[in-house]
Amino acid sequence: MTTSETKTWGFLHPECHGRNALMFFSWDLARTIEEQFTLHASAPIDIRVYEAQKAVNRLLNQYVQIQANPKAFEGQSITLHIEHDESEPDKSVLALHTTAHLEQLILEVQEEQANQRIN
């Protein structure tokens, strides 16, 4: 992968439609969260989560606007929050709560991708 390819967002890819859009979305989602946490690294955790949430909302809206896969993205949501591990109180983890429909579709596409790599 070249540097220019890593800078391109999935929603800009010409093949970002239908089931392909779900894989592009999962890549863009990870990138969006990572970029926001890096950009706001010096801010308190609640601010980083808040900024990441705004960016995730914009990303989801972008996929709706380009009609990448209307049945997959319209009316769906992803909510970010921090969860604390009871066994390790000093550790916190960013949790994504995705609407069941969108989560199921993403998991199906990821499983298909994993199976293609194996075969």
Side-chain angles (χ1 to χ4, degrees):
M1 200 179 281
T2 66
T3 303
S4 62
E5 286 176 324
T6 58
K7 298 288 184 201
T8 302
W9 288 93
F11 62 81
L12 297 174
H13 196 281
E15 293 181 22
C16 183
H17 53 81
R19 291 196 58 87
N20 288 343
L22 292 158
M23 187 55 67
F24 284 114
F25 179 77
S26 64
W27 294 336
D28 284 350
L29 178 61
R31 177 180 173 184
T32 297
I33 294 168
E34 183 179 339
E35 283 188 358
Q36 290 303 310
F37 270 70
T38 300
L39 187 64
H40 302 285
S42 62
I45 191 67
D46 58 328
I47 298 298
R48 286 183 273 169
V49 172
Y50 174 77
E51 292 299 331
Q53 182 67 61
K54 289 192 319 187
V56 166
N57 293 346
R58 286 190 302 268
L59 178 67
L60 189 55
N61 188 46
Q62 181 67 37
Y63 274 78
V64 170
Q65 286 182 354
I66 66 169
Q67 296 184 348
N69 186 336
K71 290 181 181 176
F73 298 109
E74 288 181 11
Q76 303 304 303
S77 66
I78 296 174
T79 306
L80 308 177
H81 70 93
I82 297 296
E83 287 186 355
H84 300 282
D85 187 342
E86 291 178 18
S87 64
E88 296 184 60
D90 295 346
K91 265 195 172 172
S92 53
V93 177
L94 180 65
L96 281 69
H97 287 253
T98 306
T99 47
H101 177 71
L102 180 56
E103 181 176 16
Q104 181 62 39
L105 292 173
I106 290 171
L107 291 173
E108 286 172 10
V109 169
Q110 288 174 342
E111 185 176 323
E112 288 170 11
Q113 287 283 15
N115 289 336
Q116 287 176 359
R117 285 188 205 118
I118 292 170
N119 296 330

